[in-house]
Amino acid sequence: MSSNPRVITVGYYAAAEDAAGTARERLHTHAATVGELAREVCERHGEPLASIVTVSSFLVGEETTRDPHASIAGVSDVDVLPPFAGG
């Protein structure tokens, strides 16, 4: 985790939006990686969001990743993308 908190806007789509109860939220976070941010949102919203996040991809900048070690440095938005049916 980074030493200074910063604001990240997290976007939730489809089932993740339903589970979080919001489409977007701004978080003050120390997270430096996708995995750290995922842990924070799971702690914040609990189940059932945690079960959705574990199978989701994340849009970090213009890159989609499932790597929990992927850096979120330099981005202000991260989107949680659950698996989409029919896609």
Side-chain angles (χ1 to χ4, degrees):
M1 292 209 181
S2 66
S3 58
N4 295 323
R6 62 192 180 106
V7 176
I8 295 263
T9 300
V10 180
Y12 301 100
Y13 292 87
E17 179 180 351
D18 292 339
T22 186
R24 301 190 83 63
E25 67 181 337
R26 292 173 49 122
L27 299 178
H28 292 270
T29 182
H30 290 275
T33 67
V34 165
E36 291 170 356
L37 185 64
R39 274 192 298 280
E40 284 189 31
V41 299
C42 289
E43 289 170 3
R44 181 179 183 96
H45 294 285
E47 284 291 335
L49 183 62
S51 61
I52 294 167
V53 166
T54 61
V55 296
S56 293
S57 298
F58 298 84
L59 182 62
V60 180
E62 295 181 11
E63 299 291 322
T64 303
T65 186
R66 294 179 65 96
D67 180 1
H69 303 290
S71 174
I72 59 171
V75 299
S76 58
D77 297 281
V78 174
D79 293 332
V80 179
L81 306 173
F84 295 95

